[in-house]
Amino acid sequence: MNGAAPEMATTPWNPEEMMAALRREPGIGEVLPGADIDARYQSDWSGEQGGAPLALARPRNAAELSRVLALCHEGRCPVVPQGGLTGLAGGATPVEGCVLVSLERMSGIVEIDAASATMTVLAGTPLQVIQEAAQAAGFFFALDLGARGSCQIGGNIATNAGGNRVIRYGMARDLVLGLEAVLPDGTILSMMNKMVKNNAGPDLKHLFIGTEGTLGIVTQAVLRLHPGVSGANTALVAAPDFDSAIRLLRHAQQRLSGQVSAFEVMWQDYYLAATTAGGIPAPLPPTHPLYVLLDVQAAAPEEDAARFESVLEHALAEGWIADAAIAQSHADAQGFWALRDSISEMLRTFAPTINFDVSAPISRIEECVARMQDALAREFPGVRAIYFGHVGDGNVHIVVGPLPEDGHSTEKRIETAFYGIVRSLSGSVSAEHGIGLHKRPWLHYSRSEAELSLARALKRALDPRGIMNPGKILAP
Ligand code: FAD
C-alpha cells in the first residue's frame, strides 16, 4: 500500500464551467454564487481561515445532494460539507474555489420507533431538537455538548463528538445504529440499520463517523435512544490529589452500578478562573488542588439519593475527598454545571489562546498535566494555563494564554512541547474535536505510518478524485 496523495492535487477544476454546470442543472435546490454567500459560512467556531468558496449549495434532500456531488465529481471541484459550524478544528472551513454544502435545510425528525428505541433524523437537525424530542417521547438521547443549540447531528457524527455523558453512554459512534450517506461521486448509500446486533459483514457506517466529511456526506441517521431520565444526583467535591479523585470515580462506579453519567475534573487554576473571571459563585473554597463534578442521572433520582450520599461519606472517611457540596435542587446542580460550562467567558480573559483537547490513559493524566505545567513554567514565563475535562474518559482540555504577538512562534513552541508530552504517554492529540485543518501537523503523533497509509488508501478508494473536504485530516 503506498501513501500517494489523491488525484485532485494535480488536476485543477474550472470554476466558470463548474458554476455554469451548477446553474444549468435542474433539481439541485438553491445554489448561491460566492459573492452572495453570507460571512457566517466562512469559518467554523475555531475561526480558522480558508479560501474563498465558489458557491454554496443548500440541498433539501439526499437526491438533490447526490446531483450536486455528481456534478462536482465530474468537474473535479472540491466540496466542503458544513453542519452547524461549531467545530473547533477548522474541518468545515472553505477551501479555495470549493462548493460549500450546507445541511441546514435537511432538518427534522423522521420517526421515533418506541419499540426499537430508535429515532430517525435528517443530518441537519440540531442536537438540542433531538434531545427534546427524545425526552417528549419518554426517552433520553445521551449525546450532550455545550454547542447543543447550534451543532447538527450530521456534524456530531462526522466528528464523532464526545461531550458530557461519554463515561456512561459512549461517544456519537456508540449512539448511531444506522446511516445514509452520499459518496463523493453522488452514489446514495443507505445503511439505515435499526438493530443493536448486526454482524452481517463489515459495518460500513463507521467510514463516515469521525472522518470529518472527508469520505462522504451524512444525510440521515438512525439514533439509539436510552430510557428516560428525570433528573440527577449531583455533587461538587474537592479532592486532595489526582489519585484520590480516581479512587472516588472507581468507588462511585461500583457502588452506583455503572450509572455515573459525568465525572468532570477541574484543576485549581481552572476553578479559580471560573469563580473570578468567569463570575460563577464558588460552592466550595478555592483552596483545593482539584474539584470534581459528579453527576448520576436516573429515572427517579430521589430513590438513589441515599446511596449517592453514602458514596460521598465513604470517600470523605477514606480521605479521597476533602469537602463536598451536594445539589439540593435543580438550580444548585445548574450552578455546579455553570462552573464547568463557563469556558467561553474565560477564553476572553485568556485571549489570545491555544486550546488543547487531548487524551491519555487515565493512569497517565496526572503526569501529563504535571509535565505540561512544568514545561510552561520553565520555558514560557508569563503564559498561564487552565486544565479541566472529561477525566472519566481520559480527556483533558487545556486553555493556554495570553500568548504574545510574535507571529505564532510561541504558539508553535507550546504546541510542540504539549503534543510531544501527549505522544510520549501514548495519548491522542485529539480526544473529541477532530483533526480538521488545525491538528494535521500532529496527526502522526497519535497514528502510526501504517494507519495513515491505510487511511489514505481508503480515501483514494471512496474519493478517487480527492474532491471531498480536501486537505482536512490528511495533508493534501
Ligand atoms: P461543523 O462544525 O459544521 O462541521 C464539523 C466537521 O464535520 C467538518 O469537517 C464538516 O465538514 C463535517 N460535517 C458537518 N456536517 C456533515 C455531514 N452531514 N456529513 C459529513 N460531514 C459533515 N465537541 C465535542 O466533541 N465535545 C464537546 O464537549 C464539545 N463542546 C463544545 C462546546 C462549544 C461551546 C463549542 C462551540 C463546540 C464544542 N464542541 C464539542 C465542538 C463541536 O460542537 C463538535 O465538533 C460538533 O460535533 C460539530 O458539529 P457541527 O454541526 O457544528 O459541525
Side-chain angles (χ1 to χ4, degrees):
M1 216 177 277
N2 75 59
E7 194 185 341
M8 195 207 72
T10 55
T11 318
W13 63 102
N14 182 317
E16 288 78 28
E17 281 176 18
M18 191 66 236
M19 200 62 221
L22 286 167
R23 284 217 164 97
R24 264 195 320 270
E25 182 77 8
I28 59 169
E30 182 190 84
V31 178
L32 291 175
D36 295 349
I37 301 176
D38 192 279
R40 73 194 160 98
Y41 298 98
Q42 288 298 338
S43 84
D44 63 11
W45 219 78
S46 70
E48 194 85 39
Q49 292 302 308
L54 173 72
L56 167 71
R58 298 197 305 154
R60 284 166 302 197
N61 51 49
E64 288 184 356
L65 172 59
S66 157
R67 296 174 85 142
V68 173
L69 292 190
L71 279 178
C72 291
H73 179 75
E74 206 179 303
R76 297 169 187 270
C77 176
V79 173
V80 176
Q82 292 192 332
L85 292 168
T86 67
L88 297 172
T93 300
V95 302
E96 186 65 33
C98 71
V99 172
L100 293 176
V101 173
S102 168
L103 276 293
E104 63 200 350
R105 287 193 165 176
M106 293 176 62
S107 174
I109 289 154
V110 179
E111 179 207 44
I112 295 179
D113 179 342
S116 307
T118 61
M119 187 191 296
T120 303
V121 294
L122 300 180
T125 313
L127 173 60
Q128 191 168 344
V129 170
I130 294 169
Q131 292 174 333
E132 288 170 359
Q135 192 181 8
F139 287 98
F140 178 59
F141 183 58
L143 188 67
D144 188 38
L145 35 135
R148 63 185 75 77
S150 314
C151 63
Q152 300 175 1
I153 192 68
N156 300 148
I157 292 170
T159 56
N160 188 26
N164 299 332
R165 310 283 176 215
V166 172
I167 192 169
R168 178 154 161 199
Y169 301 99
M171 297 187 67
R173 185 186 302 285
D174 301 294
L175 301 170
V176 176
L177 293 173
L179 271 190
E180 177 188 77
V182 184
L183 298 180
D185 67 359
T187 305
I188 299 175
L189 188 61
S190 180
M191 303 164 282
M192 298 292 279
N193 167 72
K194 278 190 174 182
M195 291 85 71
V196 172
K197 290 188 169 179
N198 183 349
N199 277 351
D203 193 349
L204 297 177
K205 69 174 183 275
H206 291 293
L207 289 170
F208 307 95
I209 304 177
T211 47
E212 302 179 51
T214 59
L215 299 180
I217 300 186
V218 176
T219 47
Q220 278 194 74
V222 181
L223 305 174
R224 182 176 189 177
L225 301 177
H226 283 92
V229 294
S230 71
N233 287 297
T234 307
L236 181 77
V237 305
D241 51 55
F242 191 80
D243 182 55
S244 299
I246 298 305
R247 283 174 194 269
L248 166 67
L249 168 63
R250 297 303 170 218
H251 177 68
Q253 281 181 314
Q254 172 144 41
R255 292 290 298 134
L256 302 170
S257 313
Q259 288 186 327
V260 172
S261 43
F263 191 85
E264 301 292 309
V265 174
M266 296 164 265
W267 273 254
Q268 186 183 36
D269 286 346
Y270 178 95
Y271 189 79
L272 270 170
T275 53
T276 53
I280 312 293
L284 298 174
T287 46
H288 301 280
L290 289 172
Y291 296 82
V292 179
L293 178 51
L294 179 66
D295 197 74
V296 183
Q297 290 180 317
E302 55 293 343
E303 290 173 12
D304 298 334
R307 246 175 352 129
F308 183 72
E309 282 175 30
S310 86
V311 164
L312 296 179
E313 278 162 13
H314 180 77
L316 210 53
E318 290 289 336
W320 301 335
I321 60 178
D323 204 350
I326 300 178
Q328 302 299 324
S329 63
H330 185 57
D332 282 355
Q334 278 184 319
F336 296 172
W337 272 103
L339 281 167
R340 177 58 184 81
D341 288 339
S342 61
I343 188 65
S344 312
E345 289 74 38
M346 287 191 278
L347 282 177
R348 279 192 279 280
T349 315
F350 277 73
T353 61
I354 332 174
N355 306 316
F356 292 89
D357 154 47
V358 298
S359 61
I362 295 177
S363 56
R364 311 298 298 273
I365 292 231
E366 185 179 23
E367 180 188 347
C368 179
V369 170
R371 283 173 60 186
M372 287 173 173
Q373 287 171 330
D374 242 35
L376 217 53
R378 211 178 40 246
E379 294 169 43
F380 306 94
V383 180
R384 294 186 298 150
I386 51 176
Y387 301 80
F388 61 105
H390 317 291
V391 166
D393 318 318
N395 181 187
V396 185
H397 297 304
I398 308 140
V399 174
V400 180
L403 297 176
E405 293 194 1
D406 57 6
H408 300 291
S409 124
T410 302
E411 177 177 343
K412 286 279 160 297
R413 284 170 53 223
I414 294 175
E415 283 183 334
T416 306
F418 277 30
Y419 288 132
I421 292 167
V422 168
R423 180 189 211 176
S424 73
L425 298 172
S426 305
S428 173
V429 297
S430 174
E432 55 179 13
H433 296 160
I435 295 295
L437 281 176
H438 192 77
K439 291 195 179 170
R440 280 182 328 188
W442 315 105
L443 179 59
H444 69 285
Y445 277 26
S446 299
R447 298 286 184 208
S448 67
E449 191 40 50
E451 286 175 292
L452 292 174
S453 182
L454 180 56
R456 288 187 205 104
L458 276 173
K459 172 76 175 164
R460 280 196 304 280
L462 271 82
D463 184 16
R465 297 186 172 178
I467 64 163
M468 190 54 70
N469 218 357
K472 311 294 171 63
I473 305 183
L474 299 166

